[in-house]
Amino acid sequence: MAVKDYIRQRFFPHMWCPGCGHGTILNALLRAVETLGLKKQDIVMVSGIGCSARISGYVDFHSMHTLHGRALAFATGVKMSKPELNVIVPMGDGDALAIGGNHFIHAARRNIEMTAIVMNNRIYGMTGGQFSPLSAHGSMGTTAPYGNIDHDFDVVELATAAGATFVARTTTYHVHELSDFIAQAISHKGFSVLEVLSQCPTHYGRRNRVGGAVDILKTYKNNTVRIGSDKKQENPDLIERGVFVKKELSEYCREYDRLIAREHREAE
Amino acid sequence: MKKKQYKGHKIERSWCKGCGICVEFCPKQVLELDAEGKVSVARPQDCICCKLCELRCPDLAIEVICTEPGTENGHE
């Protein structure tokens, strides 16, 4: 199938701004689905609120557009009732880690088989450029006109500590890596977290004077390295890309099925 | 190994928002933005079928059509 067979073409051109990284993530997601040979009816996209959440409206899979920050809770319900489906949850940085911070860590702790894609543009884009828990210390936002005094989360460290069994990071510049990591995350039998650095030229770019989409993509190219690169030793400010965690642990839906089966046997 | 053969770019003009990502990161400078600020194929003869423009396009507006080595027809 061609990439365009997986989208709802009637909604294009999409509503994202020119140069928005979220479109590139959609692009890579469709290629990952094509590579894995998944059928449209075997995938559910469950999203919350924000620019990132609009992605579920553009894909021609089963889709649910739910409450701000609560997509993982809805997705847990979907997965528990239909464990055979591939559940993908695209989230913005604020949606995932501010409003949905608790859902995020507990979904990771439970190790329920679904894929959380954190589309990290370091700002609330849709509502006008407020700072998020992933906005760096000192960055500008409409709610931080003199610079942000908060410190940001490291999504990879947070997800790892919360117990996610697949944790990876890449950017919208590294497109081959992006579709490869999405495919790996979907295939993983457990809770997968993929952080994707994604440019918001309209709000983050303008407010922080870092230029347009092309300029931000160049920073992704120049300021990130693969895990284990020697360059990181020389320059600790570089952001690492790659698969940080990939481990096996009993999965929540399978544990639940085993529990039910065991109790039925004992009751007989 | 035989190379892929370039057959053309298929551009969805109404989807292109003119961000210029494809133009900037094309390794062979094949693409340009036209007078209306939309992507156009200025130097098709230089295309090497890497498809980076197609993969990076946030608007899903570009498709590079190339034949795979050993096949007759265009592979999309």
Side-chain angles (χ1 to χ4, degrees), chain A residues 25-46:
Chain A
I25 299 174
L26 169 63
N27 193 330
L29 171 81
L30 300 174
R31 286 165 209 283
V33 166
E34 187 184 31
T35 306
L36 292 172
L38 299 177
K39 295 193 186 94
K40 292 196 227 183
Q41 63 267 31
D42 294 341
I43 308 168
V44 194
M45 290 275 278
V46 185

Side-chain angles (χ1 to χ4, degrees), chain A residues 105-160:
Chain A
I105 55 174
H106 290 287
R109 178 178 61 80
R110 281 195 189 111
N111 195 35
I112 185 160
E113 186 183 335
M114 55 177 71
T115 303
I117 302 176
V118 181
M119 300 156 76
N120 179 10
N121 56 15
R122 301 192 183 279
I123 205 153
Y124 289 93
M126 184 170 276
T127 49
Q130 294 81 5
F131 69 86
S132 86
L134 296 185
S135 301
H137 184 81
S139 67
M140 310 296 275
T142 43
T143 45
Y146 306 108
N148 179 20
I149 57 169
D150 286 16
H151 295 280
D152 54 335
F153 277 135
D154 181 320
V155 183
V156 166
E157 285 181 11
L158 181 75
T160 304

Side-chain angles (χ1 to χ4, degrees), chain B residues 8-25:
Chain B
H9 275 71
K10 200 166 140 192
I11 291 172
E12 200 76 55
R13 263 184 86 78
S14 64
W15 292 11
C16 172
K17 297 188 182 123
C19 68
I21 290 173
C22 55
V23 176
E24 176 68 29
F25 296 109

Side-chain angles (χ1 to χ4, degrees), chain A residues 14 16 24 27 173 218, chain B residues 17 24 54 56-59:
Chain A
H14 57 54
W16 290 313
T24 307
N27 193 330
Y173 175 80
K218 283 180 184 168
Chain B
K17 297 188 182 123
E24 176 68 29
E54 178 180 325
R56 286 213 178 93
C57 178
D59 297 311

Side-chain angles (χ1 to χ4, degrees), chain A residues 71-240:
Chain A
L72 285 170
F74 284 86
T76 300
V78 171
K79 185 69 183 176
M80 290 294 286
S81 59
K82 294 265 178 201
E84 67 276 16
L85 295 175
N86 293 287
V87 179
I88 305 173
V89 186
M91 296 181 287
D93 40 303
D95 193 44
L97 293 162
I99 303 95
N102 244 321
H103 294 298
F104 184 82
I105 55 174
H106 290 287
R109 178 178 61 80
R110 281 195 189 111
N111 195 35
I112 185 160
E113 186 183 335
M114 55 177 71
T115 303
I117 302 176
V118 181
M119 300 156 76
N120 179 10
N121 56 15
R122 301 192 183 279
I123 205 153
Y124 289 93
M126 184 170 276
T127 49
Q130 294 81 5
F131 69 86
S132 86
L134 296 185
S135 301
H137 184 81
S139 67
M140 310 296 275
T142 43
T143 45
Y146 306 108
N148 179 20
I149 57 169
D150 286 16
H151 295 280
D152 54 335
F153 277 135
D154 181 320
V155 183
V156 166
E157 285 181 11
L158 181 75
T160 304
T165 48
F166 180 96
V167 182
R169 180 195 286 129
T170 185
T171 83
T172 48
Y173 175 80
H174 303 90
V175 273
H176 288 295
E177 197 174 84
L178 177 55
S179 53
D180 174 38
F181 286 1
I182 295 174
Q184 285 193 47
I186 294 173
S187 307
H188 179 70
K189 306 290 178 208
F191 190 73
S192 322
V193 175
L194 172 63
E195 179 191 12
V196 187
L197 303 183
S198 175
Q199 70 276 15
C200 173
T202 304
H203 287 293
Y204 191 86
R206 278 194 308 176
R207 275 175 227 294
N208 288 283
R209 301 185 190 281
V210 289
V214 165
D215 302 296
I216 304 176
L217 284 174
K218 283 180 184 168
T219 65
Y220 293 162
K221 180 187 175 191
N222 298 327
N223 297 349
T224 67
V225 284
R226 287 299 298 245
I227 301 172
S229 164
D230 292 340
K231 288 181 190 161
K232 176 80 177 167
Q233 309 293 330
E234 296 157 21
N235 180 4
D237 291 337
L238 294 174
I239 299 168
E240 286 183 303

